[in-house]
């Protein structure tokens, strides 16, 4: 009798069919796999339990994923009702604000964009600027650029051109190239509104240098008009 074997050790019941299958497989493989099969035979029940837990976890995750998709679909329907049912921009903005409080993260960018648009139409520029600021936190450089331009425009319209100019100067340094012209136009507008004629003139001159067609004479005129007198 093995003295090292713990007394009263409970035996793990094993399905006879599993052991029989393992024995059949053992006959067809080299002896070097003996230890592996011994391990499998001795631990058939724990392994089966472990596999069951993996399957159960996968099933729970699938159910949770389905539930999340259902919730997003319901929220999307609710947002659609707001967009279709509220023609008045101010009422739409208010309804979207309420919606955003409990909106799924996947719908937040769309809801914020709709809120920014509705608030601008309602001339609620502070509210629109805040919505644009939320969108500016996106990981997408394109969304950051568009949101920054929208926020700056709202800041100018709400009487805060200096804040808009600071925002735009930081944005211009990092925005993707396709947005450079739009940002420069906003810089010119914000600087002129802030009384910074030197920055405004330089921005209009930059636009004039790149413009073609009917816009070029206007930019040249503004650059010369605002150019500081020596």
């Amino acid at each position: 009798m093995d003295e090292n074997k713990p007394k009263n050790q409970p035996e793990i019941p094993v399905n006879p069919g599993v052991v029989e299958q393992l024995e059949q497989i053992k006959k067809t493989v080299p002896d070097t796999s003996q230890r592996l099969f011994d391990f499998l035979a001795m631990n058939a029940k724990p392994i089966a339990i472990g596999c069951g837990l993996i399957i159960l976890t996968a099933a729970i995750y699938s159910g949770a994923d389905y539930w999340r998709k259902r919730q997003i679909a319901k929220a999307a329907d609710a947002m659609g009702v707001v967009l279709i049912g509220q023609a008045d921009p101010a009422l739409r903005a208010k309804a979207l604000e309420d919606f955003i409080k409990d909106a799924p993260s996947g719908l937040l960018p769309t809801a914020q964009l709709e809120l920014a648009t509705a608030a601008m139409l309602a001339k609620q520029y502070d509210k629109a600027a805040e919505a644009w600021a939320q969108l500016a936190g996106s990981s997408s450089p394109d969304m950051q650029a568009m949101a920054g331009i929208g926020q700056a425009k709202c800041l100018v319209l709400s009487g805060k051109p200096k804040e808009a100019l600071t925002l735009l100067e930081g944005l211009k340094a990092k925005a993707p190239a396709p947005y450079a012209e739009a940002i420069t136009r906003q810089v010119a507008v914000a600087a002129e509104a802030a009384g910074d004629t030197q920055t405004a003139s330089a921005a209009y001159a930059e636009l004039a240098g790149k413009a073609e067609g009917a816009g070029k004479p206007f930019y040249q005129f503004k650059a010369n008009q605002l150019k500081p007198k020596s």
Side-chain angles (χ1 to χ4, degrees), residues 112 116 126-138 147-148 150-152 167:
Q112 291 285 4
D126 287 335
K127 184 180 293 186
E130 185 177 349
W132 284 120
Q134 292 295 322
L135 287 167
S138 168
Q151 185 181 359
L167 186 155

Side-chain angles (χ1 to χ4, degrees), residues 93-173:
K94 178 63 173 66
L96 285 165
E97 277 188 300
D98 294 338
F99 172 81
I100 284 171
K101 293 175 183 177
D102 299 310
S105 59
L107 289 178
L108 277 177
T110 302
Q112 291 285 4
L113 182 59
E114 291 292 345
L115 173 58
T117 303
M120 288 182 74
L121 290 172
K123 298 184 179 180
Q124 297 174 349
Y125 300 121
D126 287 335
K127 184 180 293 186
E130 185 177 349
W132 284 120
Q134 292 295 322
L135 287 167
S138 168
S139 60
S140 165
D142 293 292
M143 179 57 77
Q144 291 174 8
M146 289 187 290
I149 293 169
Q151 185 181 359
K153 184 173 183 178
C154 290
L155 288 171
V156 171
L157 292 170
S158 61
K160 302 172 184 176
K162 290 183 179 180
E163 290 184 30
L165 185 57
T166 299
L167 186 155
L168 289 163
E169 287 174 340
L171 183 64
K172 189 174 182 179

Side-chain angles (χ1 to χ4, degrees), residues 5-6 8-14 42 45-46:
K5 183 177 180 180
N8 300 324
Q9 182 179 11
E11 294 185 0
I12 299 173
V14 179
M42 293 176 62
K45 185 174 181 180

